[in-house]
Amino acid sequence: MPVNVSAFMPAELNLVLVGPPGAGKGTQASRLVKDFSLPFISVGDILRANVKEGTELGVKAKEYMDKGELLPDDLVVDLITERLKQPDAKEGFILDGFPRTVPQAEALEKGLTVSGRKLTAVIVIEVPDEDLIERLSGRRVNPTTGRTYHIKYDPPKHEGVDDIDGTKLIQRDDDKPETIANRLKVYHDQTSPVIGFYERQNTENKALVRRIDGTREPDEVYRHIRALVATVRLEDTL
Ligand code: AP5
């Protein structure tokens, strides 16, 4: 009797990372990328690259980013829906920073459904606001590669320079105290409802939304995320 091979093929792994600014989405995504060989699609990184290159999108984006505000939905929706159609995202993706509003979540759902795809899991990294302020104000980044450090929790070997290529580390423009406060407000007002949107899709047998305690050490947070991803992937193939 012929064997249905596709029944044993691993399903696509389509992950969304949600969490407040500084929750560690980028930190965890860099680990996930290595283990699961999926493209990491970070809206923040795409926008910062545009700002650096001085593109039309970059010039518009900077106005919003410097104030800690979200860009209008129409500017990011097409950008991401097109990106997800690229060949490298065929087997799955790790999305960071999208969706950030309910209309963005609806647009993502529509785009995926049209292509016969669905999300595997929405991973919510939870960290209280007081920890986030300390994390963001102490964050330093390599402006060329985006590699991230923290002056207390993950310091570079030599103060102020990247361990790998020696580039001078900088503080992101939106990591200034007044902007951090607004980013947290925007998260609670506009992005938290996205979690409710996805929780309404949880069923008795399968939870789409998986919450992770992001207050632990980065490696420990990652162990939980990796175990969770392995579980949801297995559930999806059953
Ligand atoms: P974006 O770049 O996405 O910023 P964000 O969501 O605010 O997230 P961050 O990059 O600040 O934090 P993270 O969770 O990745 O934390 P990280 O791992 O670096 O967006 C920037 C802007 O772009 C937005 O404000 C908006 O203007 C615009 N934008 C983006 N998406 C948009 C959209 N969809 N629609 C409209 N506008 C959009 O960690 C932070 C620090 O903590 C680091 O120093 C790290 O070393 C440290 N750290 C990490 N984990 C731990 C841990 N477990 N313990 C201790 N320290 C830790």
Side-chain angles (χ1 to χ4, degrees):
M1 200 168 93
V3 175
N4 180 2
V5 178
S6 65
F8 301 101
M9 298 273 275
E12 278 177 34
L13 192 54
N14 301 331
L15 302 175
V16 167
L17 294 181
V18 179
K25 302 179 296 292
T27 301
Q28 298 303 326
S30 64
R31 290 164 163 81
L32 276 168
V33 165
K34 283 189 202 138
D35 277 353
F36 292 93
S37 307
L38 293 171
F40 170 47
I41 303 170
S42 156
V43 182
D45 287 352
I46 296 173
L47 296 177
R48 276 184 289 279
N50 276 273
V51 171
K52 204 170 163 196
E53 285 163 25
T55 65
E56 200 182 320
L57 172 64
V59 173
K60 271 194 205 149
K62 190 165 166 39
E63 272 177 47
Y64 293 92
M65 294 170 86
D66 284 353
K67 287 188 277 191
E69 299 288 338
L70 297 181
L71 275 73
D73 290 335
D74 58 338
L75 287 184
V76 286
V77 165
D78 290 349
L79 189 77
I80 296 306
T81 39
E82 282 312 306
R83 176 65 186 87
L84 295 180
K85 290 180 192 158
Q86 300 302 310
D88 68 332
K90 229 176 80 199
E91 306 296 328
F93 51 79
I94 303 166
L95 255 184
D96 166 12
F98 189 90
R100 270 180 131 110
T101 63
V102 170
Q104 289 182 16
E106 288 165 347
L108 175 63
E109 181 120 320
K110 199 168 150 203
L112 290 175
T113 307
V114 165
S115 338
R117 310 175 79 180
K118 62 184 170 71
L119 291 179
T120 315
V122 174
I123 300 174
V124 181
I125 306 179
E126 298 182 305
V127 178
D129 282 7
E130 38 302 1
D131 295 13
L132 298 169
I133 294 166
E134 198 194 359
R135 284 190 191 183
L136 292 171
S137 48
R139 173 166 58 187
R140 298 294 180 269
V141 292
N142 177 326
T144 313
T145 62
R147 203 170 6 258
T148 300
Y149 297 85
H150 190 280
I151 52 173
K152 182 168 158 196
Y153 301 120
D154 182 18
K157 291 193 184 87
H158 301 285
E159 197 184 324
V161 291
D162 185 274
D163 290 349
I164 314 285
D165 61 17
T167 300
K168 193 167 177 296
L169 302 176
I170 57 154
Q171 186 170 32
R172 262 170 52 174
D173 285 341
D174 59 351
D175 279 347
K176 308 278 156 61
E178 57 288 1
T179 316
I180 292 175
N182 195 40
R183 286 165 67 198
L184 291 175
K185 182 177 182 312
V186 166
Y187 175 79
H188 292 300
D189 291 350
Q190 299 187 49
T191 306
S192 290
V194 169
I195 302 169
F197 172 88
Y198 285 124
E199 267 172 344
R200 287 191 282 283
Q201 298 181 26
N202 286 346
T203 63
E204 218 174 276
N205 302 323
K206 188 164 185 277
L208 178 62
V209 175
R210 311 283 177 135
R211 291 176 185 265
I212 291 281
D213 175 4
T215 60
R216 294 155 192 263
E217 291 285 304
D219 285 343
E220 197 184 339
V221 175
Y222 184 59
R223 276 194 292 279
H224 287 144
I225 293 183
R226 190 175 49 192
L228 175 89
V229 171
T231 308
V232 289
R233 181 169 233 190
L234 186 67
E235 285 173 3
D236 238 35
T237 55
L238 297 176

